[in-house]
Amino acid sequence: MVQLRYESGNVISPDVHQIGILALGSHLENHGAALPIDTDAKIASYLALEASFQTGAKFLGVLYAATEYTYIKHGIHISVEELVEKRLKPTLKSAKKYLQLDKVVIVNGHGGNVPVKDYLKDLEQELDLKIVFNNKIVEIEGPHAGSGELSMGMILGIVDDRKLKEHCNINEYGEVGMVGFTEAREKDEGIDKGAQLLEKEGICVDPVLGQSLIDKALTSIEKDVRKLIIEDEEDYY
């Protein structure tokens, strides 16, 4: 058996190798004219990969599926049950087996995936794996395809700046801020508030805002990783 040098490289602790970071986004949903349909997956993947650089945790890639609330119709998604049973569970099981993991931080970049949280306790017990659901970027980015996502997209280089003016035409692109999604606005107070804010203030691209959102999300993910390491140390002593 090869003796691995767990202390080598830029790692915050040798114990970080027991932790994986998995991105969870959405690959198939409209984000206006200037952002691609896989915006959420790309943002979540960037955050997960960068957090693995900063901490030394294992980068597990991105899950190839997403779910969504039934009243939001801006893409192609699967049920939360299928997402958990057919996509998430096999991925985590494989990562645990082949990468010697005890813990995983899921970096979520798509609000429709939040119901996954309700299934994590059962998954933890079934897989004997500690799972943390980091939803920070969803909580702070603001309305769908609005200033927050657009600004982060500009930082990451996924925005087509030739279409920025077109993107702001919320009459044409009703998914931006979900302004044109009547059912969603009626059923979700948070969506309606975000849509009203966008209707009032419009959309702007702000690199400072974009970088700030990215930095806050990365700080949150790194804290989750550090907390998992501390829990290990406390259990040991």
Side-chain angles (χ1 to χ4, degrees):
M1 177 70 70
V2 174
Q3 293 294 318
L4 295 175
R5 299 185 183 89
Y6 288 99
E7 74 283 359
S8 295
N10 182 25
V11 297
I12 58 177
S13 164
D15 294 331
V16 80
H17 294 289
Q18 300 172 354
I19 302 171
I21 305 180
L22 175 68
L24 179 60
S26 177
H27 290 80
L28 301 171
E29 63 179 45
N30 291 324
H31 277 75
L35 286 166
I37 60 173
D38 58 349
T39 291
D40 293 349
K42 282 176 173 167
I43 291 176
S45 295
Y46 172 83
L47 293 172
L49 180 58
E50 184 62 28
S52 75
F53 289 159
Q54 294 183 7
T55 64
K58 291 186 173 74
F59 177 59
L60 305 182
V62 59
L63 206 67
Y64 300 157
T67 189
E68 183 57 279
Y69 298 101
T70 57
Y71 51 81
I72 300 177
K73 305 182 189 305
H74 59 2
I76 300 173
H77 303 92
I78 62 177
S79 70
V80 63
E81 292 82 10
E82 183 178 0
L83 177 64
V84 172
E85 289 296 320
K86 302 296 185 181
R87 298 293 183 267
L88 181 58
K89 185 194 294 185
T91 297
L92 294 179
K93 186 176 181 179
S94 180
K96 174 181 171 64
K97 178 179 179 180
Y98 293 107
L99 300 181
Q100 303 174 7
L101 300 181
D102 295 323
K103 307 168 190 68
V104 170
V105 177
I106 296 175
V107 177
N108 182 44
H110 169 59
N113 290 326
V114 171
V116 169
K117 293 171 62 177
D118 296 335
Y119 296 78
L120 294 184
K121 186 169 291 186
D122 288 341
L123 269 184
E124 286 183 317
Q125 294 177 352
E126 183 175 349
L127 301 177
D128 189 24
L129 189 68
K130 174 70 175 179
I131 305 171
V132 175
F133 191 87
N134 187 293
N135 197 49
K136 185 66 173 180
I137 197 61
V138 170
E139 295 168 357
I140 64 176
E141 67 185 1
H144 179 76
S147 297
E149 278 195 297
L150 203 58
S151 297
M152 285 189 290
M154 186 63 74
I155 294 292
L156 300 182
I158 62 174
V159 168
D160 184 347
D161 53 13
R162 299 168 300 177
K163 296 182 178 179
L164 285 174
K165 185 176 181 179
E166 183 181 352
H167 185 94
C168 297
N169 183 355
I170 57 178
N171 293 319
E172 180 71 22
Y173 299 95
E175 75 270 13
V176 175
M178 300 195 188
V179 170
F181 288 19
T182 303
E183 183 181 5
R185 295 182 65 168
E186 290 175 348
K187 291 187 175 181
D188 192 312
E189 182 180 355
I191 288 176
D192 187 51
K193 285 183 177 179
Q196 289 184 45
L197 181 66
L198 191 147
E199 287 173 325
K200 180 181 179 181
E201 299 183 358
I203 305 171
C204 68
V205 179
D206 182 350
V208 175
L209 171 63
Q211 190 63 59
S212 174
L213 292 171
I214 289 170
D215 290 345
K216 287 177 181 178
L218 285 172
T219 297
S220 176
I221 299 164
E222 183 177 346
K223 284 182 178 179
D224 281 341
V225 173
R226 290 184 179 276
K227 184 177 179 181
L228 290 174
I229 292 173
I230 291 172
E231 288 176 357
D232 253 358
E233 293 172 348
E234 289 176 347
D235 289 342
Y236 179 80
Y237 289 107

